[in-house]
Amino acid sequence: MAEPTFLDRIEQTPGAVELRAESYRLLDLAPGQTLVDVACGCGHAAAELVDAGVKTIGVDSDPAAIAVASARIPGAMFHVARSDELPLADGSVDGYRAARLFHLLEDPQPTLAEAYRVLRPGGRAVLAGQDHGFLLIDSSDQDLTDVILLGLESRSVAPRAARSFRDWLLDTGFHDPEVVVHNQVVTGHDVMAEQLEMAAAAAVDRALITRDDADGWLAEQHDRARRDRFLAVLPTLLVAATR
């Protein structure tokens, strides 16, 4: 099996496990019902859903991720496909789940239309994603931190997409939306180290800060970790609605 990716490691943290559990609660599926998990990655959610008796179809555009998921979870079905071209019949699933997807999409509407198409009437859709405009990292220089977080945002096509989930679902024809905010509190620097490096590098690349600024900020975060003063709060928005 391939070495775990950054997102694969993130999916194994306690906060990510809790987040997936909240998405299952919002889906409200019974054993024997069918779910499509779009942008399923290496299949962490699919494994848990299969264990719960849910017939699970995982879809991802990354063939390598699908290869890992297929080997890991023989009880699920997997497809390499785009989120706006699902290989499913109209009204063929009871639940639709998409986590960490919409910040990657320039135009969310075709993907939302596919969610509506493949769900049966009365089926539930759950969208989950971080809105990078809400991330919090403690620092002695909060202005610099805010600029570095803008660098992190610049790595995504739509870094603040999650705040629009409710509007998008309603505009697509879904009803009775429910909005939940899941906050992951991180006090272990190792969990965030790679993301901090990426944020600082992106801010330098876009000439928002100097390399010296980035190195000083990263050193401060390492020092905070050494003194047990590291703190990050990562809110994720989950929005569920009914077809």
Side-chain angles (χ1 to χ4, degrees):
M1 183 179 296
E3 287 294 314
T5 64
F6 170 66
L7 284 179
D8 203 24
R9 294 194 298 273
I10 287 292
E11 287 285 8
Q12 297 175 48
T13 63
V17 173
E18 294 168 6
L19 179 63
R20 291 198 299 275
E22 184 66 10
S23 74
Y24 309 153
R25 183 191 71 79
L26 291 167
L27 284 163
D28 193 26
L29 292 173
Q33 290 189 297
T34 301
L35 168 103
V36 60
D37 187 26
V38 180
C40 66
C42 294
H44 291 87
E48 293 166 347
L49 288 160
V50 167
D51 285 346
V54 175
K55 297 176 182 177
T56 304
I57 304 163
V59 175
D60 201 289
S61 61
D62 181 359
I66 290 297
V68 172
S70 298
R72 181 183 289 168
I73 311 116
M77 181 181 296
F78 292 97
H79 298 282
V80 178
R82 293 162 48 106
S83 62
D84 57 357
E85 295 179 348
L86 298 178
L88 301 172
D90 295 358
S92 58
V93 299
D94 303 292
Y96 174 101
R97 180 182 182 274
R100 297 193 184 97
L101 169 64
F102 284 89
H103 69 288
L104 303 173
L105 303 180
E106 290 187 8
D107 182 3
Q109 296 309 318
T111 291
L112 292 161
E114 277 292 86
Y116 193 87
R117 180 185 69 80
V118 302
L119 273 169
R120 65 166 178 78
R124 295 276 281 175
V126 174
L127 313 183
Q130 283 185 353
D131 187 313
H132 289 174
F134 297 148
L135 299 184
L136 180 155
I137 298 176
D138 194 15
S139 171
S140 59
D141 189 338
Q142 199 58 58
D143 290 339
L144 176 59
T145 301
D146 291 344
V147 174
I148 287 173
L149 289 176
L150 287 175
L152 182 63
E153 288 192 41
S154 72
R155 292 176 54 86
S156 299
V157 174
R160 302 188 179 193
R163 65 185 64 185
S164 298
F165 286 169
R166 184 178 185 275
D167 274 357
W168 291 346
L169 287 166
L170 287 169
D171 290 345
T172 304
F174 290 89
H175 60 87
D176 296 329
E178 179 180 353
V179 181
V180 173
V181 180
H182 178 274
N183 289 309
Q184 182 178 0
V185 177
V186 179
T187 56
H189 176 267
D190 58 321
V191 175
M192 290 285 295
E194 190 170 347
Q195 202 166 12
L196 300 181
E197 294 277 357
M198 289 190 299
V204 173
D205 289 346
R206 284 153 183 77
L208 300 174
I209 61 173
T210 68
R211 186 67 251 180
D212 285 346
D213 290 333
D215 290 343
W217 184 80
L218 290 169
E220 186 218 356
Q221 295 301 319
H222 278 286
D223 182 62
R224 284 180 168 273
R226 181 183 61 79
R227 298 183 291 110
D228 191 25
R229 296 296 187 273
F230 180 81
L231 175 66
V233 181
L234 314 176
T236 298
L237 275 71
L238 300 96
V239 183
T242 302
R243 160 81 153 87

